[in-house]
Amino acid sequence: MSQIGTDPADPQTIFVHPLTVADVVAALRTAAPPHLAESWDSNRLICGDPAESVDSVLLAVDPVTAVVDEAIRRDVDLVITHHPLYLRGTDHVSATDPKGRCVHRLIRAGIALANAHTTLDAAHGGVAAALAAAVGLLGAAPLQPSPNDPTQGIGRVGRLEHPTRLRDFAAAVAVALPDSAPGLLVGGDLDATIETVAVSGGAGDGLLGTARDAGADVFLTADLRHHPASEHLEAGRPYLLCGTHWATEWVGLPPLAARLERAAAAKGRRLATYVSEVVTDPWTLRLSTGS
Ligand SMILES: [Zn+2]
């Protein structure tokens, strides 16, 4: 699958070295710099040989079976996921559990796997920045600046172009996010006027106080639990928009794909990227209850 421009035996033509796994992982580290990683996190090449050639990449949120199925079907050389496969380490990769089976299937198919997690959350143009852009925030700044670079960090806080009713903003957010069975939950006074918005893709329980301290009127995140959300709203703003973990992080993938393609083009290579549309939230159906 190496990409060779023309016949190297012909002196009139140019031999083009293929991109390698190492090249693409280097571009990934430029887009999602390692110094932005949280201390508990894992952002790295998970399996694969850095010297192998890469023509095509699949980007996805989760390194799960359905994504491995898609990678094999598309015959890509590398999968880049947001979440790590083994966040807390492992003492085996045997094919006796789903993660080990994913490793085996990827290696057998000659597909490498890498991830960028909190590095991509925090980066310029990363998950938080993409989520802020998707919902129309102006002047977005990190909600929780990185101690290593305060211009980047977890979440974003910014302003809407015009003050808006919560219900209208929520409707716009619902359109901006990709669909997943649970959809979007709204907590707060639907007719209240909001202008300052905080966003953070993925689980946002831990940032409720940070969003309040930032003066946000509404906080868009995911995975909010009953007690933290209820107790937070008892004390007022920010109102809450709770999307799904997958949907609020998926928005960071298309800009990353474009960035990797540009990095390849800058080296005179072509990299084909695919952004997975497989919904990897755990939920497959939402039913209204009680009626
Ligand atoms: Zn996540």
Side-chain angles (χ1 to χ4, degrees), residues 130-144:
L131 189 56
V135 302
L137 296 198
L138 304 176
L143 179 61
Q144 183 174 277

Side-chain angles (χ1 to χ4, degrees), residues 82-83 117 202 245 249:
H82 183 46
H83 293 141
H117 188 210
H245 198 120
E249 295 185 334

Side-chain angles (χ1 to χ4, degrees), residues 7 31 111 122 137 149 165 173 191 194 197 209 239 256 260 274 276:
D7 180 1
I111 301 171
L137 296 198
D149 179 356
R165 287 190 309 167
V173 170
D191 292 314
I194 56 130
V197 177
Y239 303 129
L256 176 62
L260 295 175
Y274 305 96
S276 177

Side-chain angles (χ1 to χ4, degrees), residues 61-62 82-84 117 121 201-203 223 245-246 248-249:
V61 172
D62 291 295
H82 183 46
H83 293 141
H117 188 210
D121 282 326
D223 289 358
H245 198 120
W246 173 83
T248 57
E249 295 185 334

Side-chain angles (χ1 to χ4, degrees), residues 1-118:
M1 282 180 272
S2 62
Q3 189 169 345
I4 298 170
T6 45
D7 180 1
D10 180 343
Q12 299 298 312
T13 62
I14 299 166
F15 184 88
V16 179
H17 289 286
L19 279 175
T20 63
V21 169
D23 291 331
V24 180
V25 169
L28 178 63
R29 289 164 66 91
T30 300
H35 70 276
L36 300 177
E38 297 289 320
S39 59
W40 46 264
D41 197 18
S42 179
N43 305 264
R44 57 166 302 138
L45 181 62
I46 298 163
C47 77
D49 182 341
E52 289 285 318
S53 64
V54 175
D55 287 337
S56 57
V57 179
L58 175 68
L59 293 92
V61 172
D62 291 295
V64 294
T65 302
V67 168
V68 174
D69 291 344
E70 183 178 5
I72 292 171
R73 179 170 53 79
R74 290 190 183 278
D75 194 25
V76 297
D77 307 304
L78 171 64
V79 177
I80 294 175
T81 59
H82 183 46
H83 293 141
L85 182 64
Y86 291 108
L87 178 59
R88 292 177 180 84
T90 185
D91 64 353
H92 75 93
V93 292
S94 64
T96 52
D97 65 29
K99 292 187 181 194
R101 281 194 286 278
C102 283
V103 170
H104 278 70
R105 294 180 67 209
L106 288 167
I107 292 173
R108 262 194 223 110
I111 301 171
L113 173 65
N115 86 296
H117 188 210
T118 52

